[in-house]
Amino acid sequence: MSAVLELSRMSVALPLGGFLSRARLPILMDVSLSVGRGESVALVGESGSGKTTLARAVMGLQAVSGGSIALDGQAVEGAAGHARLRRDAAMMFQDATASLSPRLTVGYLVTEPFRIHGVALPDPEGMARELLAKVGLPPAMARRYPHELSGGQARRVGVARALALKPRLVIADEPTAGLDVSVQAEVLNLMADLRAEMGLAYLIITHNLALVRHVADRVVVLYLGRVVEEGPTAQVFAAPAHPYTASLIAAEPRPDPRQRRMDLAIRGEVPSVLRRPSGCEFHTRCPMAREMCRTTAPTLAPIGAGRQARCHFADQNKDQQGEQHAVEHR
Amino acid sequence: MSVLSVEGLSVSYRVPGGRLQAVRDVSLSVGRGEVLGIMGESGCGKSTLAAAMIGLLPQGAEVAAGAIRLNGTDMLRLPGEEQRRLRGQRIAMVFQDPMTAFNPVLTIGRQLADFVGAHGGGKGAAEIAGMLERVGIPDPGRCLGRYPHELSGGMRQRVAIAAALLMQPDVLIADEPTTALDVTMEAQIIHLLRDLRTSFDGAIVVVTHHLGVIAELCDRVAVMYAGEVVEEAGVDALFHDPRHPYTRALLSCDPAVVMPGSGHLPTIGGRIPDLTALPAGCAFAARCGMAEAGCGAPVPRHRGAGRSVLCHRSAA
Amino acid sequence: MSSAVEGTVPGRRGIGRALLADPMGLAGLVLVVVFLLMALLAPWVAPYDPIALDVKAKFQPPSAAHWAGTDHLGRDLLSRIIWGARLALGIAITSVLIAGAIGLVLGLIAGYGPRWLDSVLVLIFDSMSSLPMIFFALAVITVLGPGTTTLIIVIVLVSFPAYARLIRTQTLALSGADFILAERAMGAGAGRIIFRHLLPNVVGPLVILICMDIPVVIMLEAGLSYLNLGVKPPSPSWGNILSEGYNALRQAPHVVIVAGVPLVLATLGFTFLGEGLRDVLDPRGAGRRWG
């Protein structure tokens, strides 16, 4: 069975500017990733990790400098390929309100995908009502303009629009950013319902680990444009194999004052992509970096069923972290 | 002894079609070395409360009743000039997006020096650099020569905190200090504020909607709903023994507390009430699972050991 | 009734109401409407034929028969002013609308189209606007001969680059906006993005600029006509009336005054309306809304 979305060794490099300069700055390097039918995959990393660039590259909004994209086993190439991809895959933007064209009504916006792809729409008003109902919005909402919507409502309109053409894949960039806790829960429930109902696959881009734990089957961790760890969510959270993953999990504030973290898991900031560190690119912030990490770059290597990590000591870390996890939860 | 205390404060906005009651009869206090969290969802009045505390209410806002006492003096009764002098000197604020707090065309060093100068402090570059070091900026000398856009979000937030602390204020108010940051930066800022609580001898007020930040950082928490403080308690009591139905509902729908793979997250049905036409009784009754006929009557505030609850059905 | 799904520009009625609430905008609107009515209804409201001579009655001061007096050929000045409004507004509105349309389309293409096309178009805009306006106008008039059509061509050529540059800047700023990315991600083509999504969001400032430019064009027309390079006499252009009146300034000062007043009022009217529209439409004004 082929995956809905398959990226193999995808790279994105941005021109550095400068007159007649051919120099390019690598943003994403050899990222391979697959999203199976009905599967929910989370892509996590700090800002600057390249996660939003990846989403844009998949949707054809960002030129790709290497590698390939396949949708349902068919390579996505050229304008025709992207036209097909944009019908079968939809994207939800981080800023839901800003992603709605400001001078058009919600009713027009949710039915726009039909017009774009030339799908006959005998009853646009009825379709708008149906789509709004599907995301739990009243029909009267069709007459509103984007600036009249609350954050949660704009998010729902974004979902309705993404689902209009019954896609098989939805790429969601920070689907709960800027939402209140209770509204966040409503949006996540809606996404879960729609997944079950329509057999959707999700690629969720986020830095919110609570969200990942809740909705993702598999998680892919990016650091400076490279995949550093990948695996089933439960296993990765229970026993992270890459120290970066471990420190991301540890950094997450816990809503329980009895579990306060008194030590700081990760120091410093993401290095600039203009000055990538030598060897393992994480060594400048890694709590367990050794001499070899400064000089030798690790490769992304399999570490058991369905898991991969880019660390010299991945197996060791995994076992240690796993034991710790087991102790904490005993 | 409390440094800052808010007593019976009500703030409303004039809007077309009436008065929007953003803050209603709020009483709070915070002492030296204490971190008070103000938690709530958008529209609950927490930002208006924070703005009132620092005397920066927007146009159209009106204090209908109450007092805000800083070391015993009611700031609301002070003339504008004196209020302005207190701001920055005795009470300082850190915003969600520190970029907006800086002038983009001046270097960090210049802005901090101007700021100190404006408040009559004779502090030199060395002291400013010392403060930057204290908030965890690795190379303070170089940072002073930089422009705001050359710093990362986390660094800017540190500089903003340093700027706020330069005059050694009695109160530091942080409005969503980590919302614009990555998890890793968020953890670092939380640690910084936690360290400051002990090293800087003032009170810290953190305003946020993020339950994790509250739990990691605060000593005491006030939960706001529709302009009122519906529950106030020590952080441990609040998270482990919440008394108000709204607090309970809010805590239960955070994806961070729900066990993974448990399917649906609990939600709070309905919306916050119209703040221009509030009910006489409990504002949460329409969304509350425990509501009964009596909840339409004005709500009594139950006070108990270190906590208070605004509910007919839960005793403190 | 318009359908919600057809999606219209929001708050047209709101814009009108806000304009009426602003005293300056209201004054501008009233003046502009009065001049537009004068222009449209000239054949019916003008008491005399504007070019009918009555040499015996030349240089008559304002009287019951001739409310604004007569000129050196005994023509009724009020009728000439009213017909002059038709000429002045006709030329001004026609030319700025043509220039606006050209500027809008070229600006959108430059702002959203490929880089090379943008460079070519910007080069054209810049070289057009680097020409000194009055010499350029004189050159075109020399080639084509004076007349109404020439005047319109001159005005269009002189004003479209500014419009195009305004639209290009706006378009460039918006083309990276999330909602444009979202449209591209859904597969929307360039035509749909330009006309459905960019155009309604960039056209507001252009409307303001055009409105503020109308008085400039009226003055330009009057100036060129005054120099006998614009509308040919005996057509009742305000510039012609002024020029003819100027020759008899000592003998009959009312001619210049009568021709000057509508020029000033029309200029003020369109400027006020433009400024009123800017206050209402300018996105920076949107922040005044509470919350």
Side-chain angles (χ1 to χ4, degrees):
Chain A
M1 190 185 87
S2 63
V4 174
L5 179 72
E6 180 100 53
L7 306 183
S8 50
R9 303 180 63 88
M10 189 168 80
S11 300
V12 170
L14 298 179
L16 267 175
F19 190 58
L20 293 179
S21 159
R22 287 289 179 93
R24 284 176 159 264
L25 181 64
I27 301 294
L28 282 178
M29 293 157 94
D30 285 338
V31 174
S32 298
L33 171 84
S34 80
V35 183
R37 250 171 250 279
E39 193 187 23
S40 171
V41 175
L43 193 62
V44 297
E46 290 165 280
S47 39
S49 62
K51 51 193 200 301
T52 295
T53 306
L54 183 133
R56 293 190 172 175
V58 171
M59 296 309 292
L61 301 175
Q62 171 68 57
V64 169
S65 54
S68 63
I69 305 171
L71 192 71
D72 286 317
Q74 267 181 283
V76 173
E77 272 162 15
H82 268 110
R84 184 173 63 95
L85 182 135
R86 286 166 174 180
R87 224 192 123 145
D88 288 341
M91 180 156 171
M92 284 166 60
F93 283 71
Q94 177 165 1
D95 185 341
T97 309
S99 73
L100 300 173
S101 194
R103 302 237 166 191
L104 297 169
T105 57
V106 165
Y108 182 88
L109 289 168
V110 293
T111 51
E112 200 182 13
F114 295 96
R115 297 161 209 258
I116 288 174
H117 291 280
V119 179
L121 200 61
D123 176 18
E125 304 238 8
M127 179 52 83
R129 269 200 303 277
E130 190 187 319
L131 284 168
L132 290 177
K134 199 177 236 170
V135 296
L137 289 174
M141 209 54 91
R143 296 194 173 277
R144 300 271 191 94
Y145 288 93
H147 69 93
E148 299 171 314
L149 306 176
S150 71
Q153 289 169 340
R155 188 70 62 178
R156 284 167 189 268
V157 171
V159 175
R161 194 150 80 131
L163 299 179
L165 293 176
K166 301 197 166 40
R168 261 157 314 160
L169 172 70
V170 171
I171 300 181
D173 191 356
E174 298 287 0
T176 62
L179 298 181
D180 280 319
V181 182
S182 63
V183 183
Q184 193 175 322
E186 288 172 20
V187 170
L188 293 180
N189 288 345
L190 173 67
M191 286 175 69
D193 289 346
L194 293 168
R195 180 182 170 195
E197 192 185 314
M198 302 174 64
L200 283 176
Y202 284 119
L203 177 60
I204 295 170
I205 292 162
T206 184
H207 70 265
N208 182 344
L209 295 174
L211 171 68
V212 174
R213 205 182 290 135
H214 193 73
V215 299
D217 302 322
R218 235 154 22 87
V219 57
V220 176
V221 184
L222 280 184
Y223 189 72
L224 283 179
R226 279 188 230 265
V227 175
V228 295
E229 176 155 12
E230 191 201 334
T233 307
Q235 290 184 35
V236 171
F237 274 84
H242 197 286
Y244 179 58
T245 315
S247 38
L248 277 184
I249 296 170
E252 185 195 13
R254 265 159 249 213
D256 181 356
R258 289 181 192 167
Q259 286 186 37
R260 282 190 183 174
R261 294 277 320 195
M262 296 323 282
D263 58 323
L264 198 52
I266 187 166
R267 288 171 197 280
E269 307 205 15
V270 187
S272 161
V273 281
L274 288 166
R275 283 185 298 274
R276 287 173 180 273
S278 62
C280 171
E281 291 177 341
F282 186 61
H283 85 251
T284 53
R285 302 169 79 192
C286 183
M288 47 188 75
R290 297 175 212 180
E291 197 44 48
M292 91 181 271
C293 303
R294 281 177 247 282
T295 51
T296 320
T299 53
L300 188 63
I303 46 158
R307 293 191 61 179
Q308 301 185 78
R310 192 187 293 275
C311 176
H312 296 300
F313 312 102
D315 279 311
Q316 246 168 282
N317 295 338
K318 186 183 73 173
D319 298 341
Q320 267 176 20
Q321 294 274 352
E323 276 163 32
Q324 244 176 40
H325 186 82
V327 171
E328 274 171 27
H329 285 258
R330 197 160 290 155
Chain B
M1 143 98 200
S2 61
V3 183
L4 181 75
S5 65
V6 176
E7 295 162 11
L9 184 75
S10 294
V11 181
S12 60
Y13 292 95
R14 280 186 301 275
V15 288
R19 299 200 145 271
L20 188 147
Q21 293 174 274
V23 172
R24 298 188 289 149
D25 193 21
V26 165
S27 296
L28 286 173
S29 70
V30 57
R32 286 195 189 277
E34 190 181 30
V35 183
L36 170 70
I38 297 177
M39 175 170 100
E41 299 187 278
S42 36
C44 73
K46 60 186 191 300
S47 295
T48 301
L49 178 60
M53 282 178 174
I54 192 163
L56 287 176
L57 281 172
Q59 286 258 310
E62 198 173 278
V63 177
I68 299 172
R69 293 186 197 282
L70 183 64
N71 297 320
T73 341
D74 184 358
M75 289 202 296
L76 297 173
R77 303 282 172 274
L78 287 180
E81 185 54 40
E82 279 182 59
Q83 252 193 50
R84 199 159 41 243
R85 210 168 41 76
L86 286 182
R87 212 179 296 146
Q89 207 171 77
R90 304 269 45 97
I91 183 160
M93 188 150 178
V94 174
F95 298 90
Q96 173 172 345
D97 180 7
M99 191 64 192
T100 55
F102 292 110
N103 181 339
V105 298
L106 296 179
T107 62
I108 295 292
R110 176 72 198 282
Q111 294 189 49
L112 294 184
D114 283 357
F115 175 72
V116 171
H119 286 282
K123 290 201 168 67
E127 262 160 295
I128 295 176
M131 184 54 81
L132 290 183
E133 196 162 7
R134 196 165 145 198
V135 298
I137 287 176
D139 187 353
R142 235 177 86 211
C143 176
L144 286 175
R146 295 205 167 188
Y147 291 92
H149 70 266
E150 295 177 307
L151 302 177
S152 71
M155 280 300 157
R156 279 202 291 267
Q157 198 57 288
R158 283 174 197 271
V159 174
I161 292 172
L165 295 181
L166 266 175
M167 299 308 301
Q168 292 164 325
D170 297 314
V171 183
L172 175 68
I173 299 174
D175 188 2
E176 301 279 4
T178 65
T179 304
L181 304 176
D182 276 317
V183 217
T184 50
M185 286 300 120
E186 179 170 67
Q188 294 182 16
I189 296 292
I190 289 174
H191 274 255
L192 171 63
L193 289 171
R194 223 193 255 160
D195 289 348
L196 287 173
R197 181 182 57 160
T198 43
S199 64
F200 135 85
D201 180 39
I204 299 178
V205 178
V206 177
V207 179
T208 184
H209 72 282
H210 195 321
L211 302 178
V213 173
I214 294 276
E216 290 276 354
L217 189 55
C218 300
D219 301 315
R220 227 148 33 79
V221 190
V223 181
M224 288 189 75
Y225 182 78
E228 290 174 307
V229 172
V230 293
E231 178 160 7
E232 190 197 336
V235 69
D236 194 79
L238 190 95
F239 279 86
H240 290 280
D241 179 24
R243 298 284 171 86
H244 196 283
Y246 174 65
T247 315
R248 284 187 208 151
L250 202 57
L251 292 177
S252 71
C253 62
D254 186 351
V257 287
V258 177
M259 283 312 285
S262 59
H264 266 69
L265 292 163
T267 55
I268 309 175
R271 295 274 166 256
I272 56 166
D274 180 358
L275 295 177
T276 59
L278 285 158
C282 173
F284 186 63
R287 303 171 74 182
C288 180
M290 293 168 66
E292 48 176 35
C295 292
V299 196
R301 182 175 290 278
H302 301 283
R303 287 180 199 282
R307 65 191 300 167
S308 80
V309 183
L310 193 68
C311 180
H312 285 283
R313 310 215 43 207
S314 325
Chain C
M1 205 182 102
S2 84
S3 139
V5 180
E6 289 314 312
T8 45
V9 176
R12 284 223 173 109
R13 210 175 292 156
I15 289 171
R17 203 173 296 150
L19 197 59
L20 291 181
D22 170 25
M24 207 159 87
L26 181 64
L29 193 65
V30 168
L31 281 171
V32 166
V33 167
V34 166
F35 277 104
L36 282 176
L37 286 177
M38 261 167 73
L40 286 173
L41 304 176
W44 295 279
V45 295
Y48 296 89
D49 180 343
I51 53 174
L53 309 184
D54 182 3
V55 189
K56 277 179 286 182
K58 72 171 181 180
F59 291 136
Q60 281 190 7
S63 65
H66 298 283
W67 289 5
T70 59
D71 68 2
H72 66 295
L73 296 173
R75 293 174 294 201
D76 178 54
L77 274 174
L78 181 62
S79 305
R80 285 183 70 74
I81 294 297
I82 292 173
W83 280 89
R86 179 175 250 208
L87 204 65
L89 294 191
I91 291 174
I93 292 175
T94 312
S95 48
V96 294
L97 284 184
I98 296 175
I102 295 175
L104 183 62
V105 170
L106 291 184
L108 282 167
I109 292 174
Y112 192 72
R115 270 282 187 75
W116 64 267
L117 191 57
D118 182 36
S119 310
V120 172
L121 288 171
V122 168
L123 190 67
I124 293 175
F125 305 156
D126 285 350
S127 33
M128 288 298 296
S129 45
S130 66
L131 297 170
M133 184 169 90
I134 205 74
F135 291 107
F136 178 69
L138 291 177
V140 175
I141 291 164
T142 318
V143 175
L144 298 177
T148 316
T149 318
T150 310
L151 208 54
I152 291 176
I153 292 175
V154 168
I155 294 165
V156 167
L157 288 179
V158 165
S159 36
F160 91 85
Y163 302 158
R165 248 187 282 150
L166 173 78
I167 294 293
R168 173 182 172 269
T169 316
Q170 299 261 332
T171 307
L172 274 180
L174 276 183
S175 54
D178 275 6
F179 71 93
I180 297 297
L181 282 178
E183 293 297 330
R184 286 173 59 202
M186 282 192 301
R192 167 173 285 272
I193 288 177
I194 288 179
F195 292 106
R196 262 284 174 196
H197 300 285
L198 287 170
L199 192 145
N201 290 294
V202 297
V203 83
L206 181 67
V207 170
I208 298 161
L209 185 62
I210 280 182
C211 205
M212 310 267 273
D213 261 5
I214 287 180
V216 178
V217 172
I218 293 176
M219 291 298 254
L220 182 69
E221 180 267 322
L224 288 172
S225 299
Y226 180 91
L227 297 172
N228 290 320
L229 294 169
V231 179
K232 279 179 272 186
S235 289
S237 146
W238 292 345
N240 287 342
I241 304 172
L242 263 180
S243 139
E244 291 155 6
Y246 190 73
N247 293 332
L249 189 60
R250 301 206 158 210
Q251 201 179 349
H254 71 271
V255 180
V256 174
I257 296 169
V258 164
V261 167
L263 198 54
V264 170
L265 288 182
T267 306
L268 281 179
F270 279 100
T271 311
F272 283 180
L273 181 64
E275 284 184 3
L277 276 177
R278 187 187 53 202
D279 291 348
V280 174
L281 288 177
D282 195 317
R284 275 164 295 184
R288 285 178 301 186
R289 188 190 299 248
W290 182 84

